[in-house]
Amino acid sequence: MKQYIEQGLAVLGIELGSTRIKAVLIGEDHAPIASGDHTWENRLENGVWTYHMDDVWGGIQDAYANLVKDVEAKYGAKLTKLKALGISAMMHGYLPFDKDDNQICEFRTWRNTMTGPAAEELTALLGFNVPQRWSIAHLYQAILNKEDHLPKLARLTTLAGHVHYALTGKHVMGVGEASGMFPIDSEAGTYDAKMVELFDAKVAEKGYSFKLLDVLPKVLNAGEDAGVLTSEGAKLLDPTGSLEAGALVAPCEGDAGTGMVATNAVAVRTGNVSAGTSVFAMIVLEKALSKVYPEIDMVTTPTGKPVAMVHCNNCTSDINAWAGMLKGFAEAAGLQVSMGDIYTAIFTSALKGDKDCGGVINMPLFSGEPVVGLNEGRPMMIRTPDAAMNFANFSRSLVAGAMTSLKLGMDILAGENVKIDSLLGHGGYFKTPIAGQTILAASLNTPISVMETAGEGGPWGMALLAAYRANKAEGQPLEAYLNEKVFASAKSVSVAPEAADVDGLNAYTKQFVACLDAQKAAIANL
């Protein structure tokens, strides 16, 4: 392995997630051989959820430096060159630049829910659901607000697109990531031309002269040429100067696309659930839905196939908050308990609680949740006076509550008779074996599989896309590459839903929905 690495044959994937930036290096068999990460948090500044670009680059450099240390510790190797690499990040959001590449307003992340008027108007204009998170909703809201930076707008991108541009000088992105900026025509493999025309006409009405295609990134399919790592880009990744330029760079993708790749869910009738700070389910469709649903995003795979996406802003943040409180209790009681032990206790105890959580309802809404019609959130735990408030029911309400908004969105797809042959889970929610799987299987009334590699998640998926860019055979589709080269011998554990669990969580969901008025009252008064 030392020789393999030092010859520059390894492939790198980097993903900028909500709370962690992770770099994963893979070898010839596509398995991870080293990793490094960096923990970070978004900021709420002047009512806007954001990250500073200094934090972006400091975090990437720290994650890469930790990867280099891991390589040296494991193999005694110096990492000085790469065969290929790829960048992924949280999808959506708003990151505008002027003609001189100066950032002209704060980065507005996917977590913001201040674009309601724009999203509603664009959905009506385009006849296509435009969620508040999407870049085009942020742009149009800025137009409605007549924001001062707009006359300087020359380039609009996402976080992944910005990092890719800095490393390669190319204003491009993968079709999956682009589908979270503006609707895609899957047949053409790029932005929907008719919708672009409608948008440009609306912008002109408002007195702005820019054209959408002049500011958006060029759309690329998985495996296409997205540039190479420049010498300036190499210095950005590795300020020590040890990393050489020249590595092939894959089209950047969003965390949705890398999740699809990491779970081999890019073919029709496959799907995946990515569960961490946020949670989303991606189902590759056989046919279009019968109508526009505000709860369902239409995006694409990294090869442009249409995908129904149920995206929820809130998932494990409340579990994390309660786990931290329990850690504080343990320390106050003089007990030595790790965070890992606490998470394991919560998830395993959730399987022992009453099927409907015994009258304990958890609403883990840290931020707005469009799927349930809320622009803000107030985390709440509610219980009836006669609730069976014990640790098992408390834990089950946390683990089930994290998935309830997702369930409400997925119930719409079930009503559309969307067929799913396989649904795979990945992300921190599934780290404790069986537990999260069992709850989600019951919530969705669908078997859930988790692969042994599921813990690697998005950065590994991005590394696979980079390997596909470098190694694919002429005309070889991504689906074939993944089936033949990556997942041919993959092992997974599947959990089928139990009828009693399904009934219990259906009852819990009704209670959750009934409590939304209490959530609205808390938002109005707290």
Side-chain angles (χ1 to χ4, degrees):
M1 189 60 74
K2 181 177 188 290
Q3 187 178 20
Y4 183 88
I5 292 168
E6 292 185 340
Q7 286 177 347
L9 299 175
V11 173
L12 174 66
I14 296 176
E15 184 159 285
L16 293 90
S18 302
T19 58
R20 187 173 66 152
I21 301 171
K22 186 173 182 181
V24 169
L25 197 69
I26 63 174
E28 189 174 12
D29 64 355
H30 298 88
I33 56 175
S35 66
D37 64 6
H38 170 84
T39 300
W40 69 339
E41 284 288 348
N42 53 191
R43 306 165 184 244
L44 183 61
E45 296 181 343
N46 302 315
V48 176
W49 291 105
T50 189
Y51 297 86
H52 293 186
M53 290 304 110
D54 287 348
D55 295 337
V56 169
W57 289 109
I60 289 173
Q61 289 164 2
D62 187 46
Y64 181 80
N66 289 331
L67 171 81
V68 170
K69 290 175 187 172
D70 194 36
V71 167
E72 189 159 8
K74 285 179 175 173
Y75 311 107
K78 299 286 186 184
L79 185 60
T80 60
K81 52 186 174 180
L82 298 162
K83 185 173 188 178
L85 67 97
I87 299 295
S88 174
M90 302 164 279
M91 287 179 72
H92 317 299
Y94 185 69
L95 198 45
F97 295 85
D98 66 16
K99 63 181 177 58
D100 298 316
D101 290 334
N102 298 306
Q103 186 179 343
I104 53 177
C105 93
E106 75 280 346
F107 171 38
R108 299 169 184 177
T109 77
W110 60 272
R111 196 167 196 172
N112 290 287
T113 50
M114 80 269 268
T115 63
E120 185 176 350
E121 190 174 329
L122 289 177
T123 296
L125 174 70
L126 304 179
F128 187 100
N129 181 36
V130 176
Q132 291 199 45
R133 302 182 308 281
W134 281 29
S135 306
I136 200 65
H138 281 280
L139 174 59
Y140 194 61
Q141 190 65 52
I143 290 170
L144 294 179
N145 296 345
K146 299 179 180 178
E147 296 191 31
D148 293 341
H149 68 271
L150 286 171
K152 296 180 282 187
L153 178 65
R155 181 167 62 87
L156 177 62
T157 191
T158 62
L159 182 56
H162 171 61
V163 175
H164 182 99
Y165 180 81
L167 298 182
T168 66
K170 301 286 187 182
H171 184 42
V172 301
M173 68 175 46
V175 62
E177 173 77 342
S179 72
M181 295 194 79
F182 192 86
I184 295 291
D185 177 347
S186 287
E187 294 296 319
T190 189
Y191 306 112
D192 186 289
K194 180 62 177 174
M195 294 185 193
V196 168
E197 189 179 313
L198 288 169
F199 184 85
D200 281 345
K202 183 62 70 172
V203 169
E205 274 180 29
K206 302 289 185 185
Y208 295 95
S209 59
F210 67 82
K211 297 291 186 183
L212 195 59
L213 296 184
D214 291 337
V215 299
L216 290 183
K218 180 183 176 182
V219 179
L220 297 177
N221 212 321
E224 291 189 336
D225 181 0
V228 298
L229 182 65
T230 63
S231 55
E232 296 85 359
K235 274 286 182 67
L236 275 174
L237 265 186
D238 181 14
T240 70
S242 299
L243 180 63
E244 297 177 12
L248 301 176
V249 183
C252 64
E253 267 298 345
D255 48 1
T258 58
M260 284 186 262
V261 172
T263 53
N264 196 22
V266 295
V268 168
R269 291 176 62 140
T270 65
N272 79 96
V273 175
S274 174
T277 304
S278 63
V279 58
F280 49 82
M282 316 283 296
I283 312 299
V284 188
L285 298 179
E286 293 180 283
K287 60 180 181 179
L289 301 179
S290 66
K291 63 178 183 178
V292 173
Y293 292 95
E295 302 90 348
I296 309 293
D297 300 9
M298 290 304 302
V299 292
T300 77
T301 68
T303 57
K305 289 186 173 67
V307 172
M309 178 182 188
V310 180
H311 184 287
C312 303
N313 291 343
N314 301 278
C315 185
T316 59
S317 293
D318 205 35
I319 297 175
N320 296 341
W322 282 105
M325 187 278 294
L326 292 170
K327 181 73 159 62
F329 165 77
E331 289 172 351
L335 303 174
Q336 294 298 316
V337 181
S338 72
M339 288 301 293
D341 291 336
I342 290 170
Y343 284 117
T344 299
I346 290 171
F347 276 84
T348 55
S349 296
L351 299 181
K352 302 171 185 175
D354 294 333
K355 301 300 185 183
D356 64 354
C357 304
V360 183
I361 302 101
N362 187 54
M363 310 189 80
L365 305 178
F366 269 64
S367 62
E369 193 59 86
V371 169
V372 294
L374 297 173
N375 288 330
E376 294 183 56
R378 300 291 185 272
M380 297 171 66
M381 181 163 281
I382 303 171
R383 57 191 171 102
T384 57
D386 61 346
M389 180 58 169
N390 53 46
F391 186 68
N393 283 337
F394 162 79
S395 297
R396 191 173 180 87
S397 75
L398 290 182
V399 178
M403 288 295 168
T404 306
S405 295
L406 179 72
K407 172 180 169 53
L408 292 168
M410 289 293 285
D411 284 348
I412 294 171
L413 296 183
E416 281 270 348
N417 201 29
V418 169
K419 303 295 185 187
I420 306 172
D421 291 337
S422 65
L423 192 58
L424 291 107
H426 65 108
Y429 182 86
F430 301 102
K431 189 170 183 179
T432 301
I434 303 300
Q437 258 182 288
T438 301
I439 298 291
L440 182 59
S443 292
L444 305 185
N445 197 17
T446 301
I448 304 294
S449 298
V450 173
M451 293 183 180
E452 287 183 349
T453 52
E456 302 300 336
W460 181 58
M462 192 63 241
L464 296 181
L465 285 169
Y468 176 65
R469 156 90 169 93
N471 301 325
K472 67 182 174 69
E474 185 68 32
Q476 185 179 28
L478 177 62
E479 295 89 334
Y481 185 87
L482 294 176
N483 285 331
E484 295 163 13
K485 302 289 187 183
V486 182
F487 294 103
S489 59
K491 295 178 181 178
S492 64
V493 174
S494 186
V495 172
E498 297 278 347
D501 282 334
V502 172
D503 291 343
L505 291 179
N506 281 338
Y508 174 83
T509 301
K510 287 181 182 177
Q511 293 176 315
F512 183 101
V513 171
C515 290
L516 286 173
D517 283 341
Q519 176 74 193
K520 291 171 186 174
I523 291 167
N525 293 285
L526 288 176

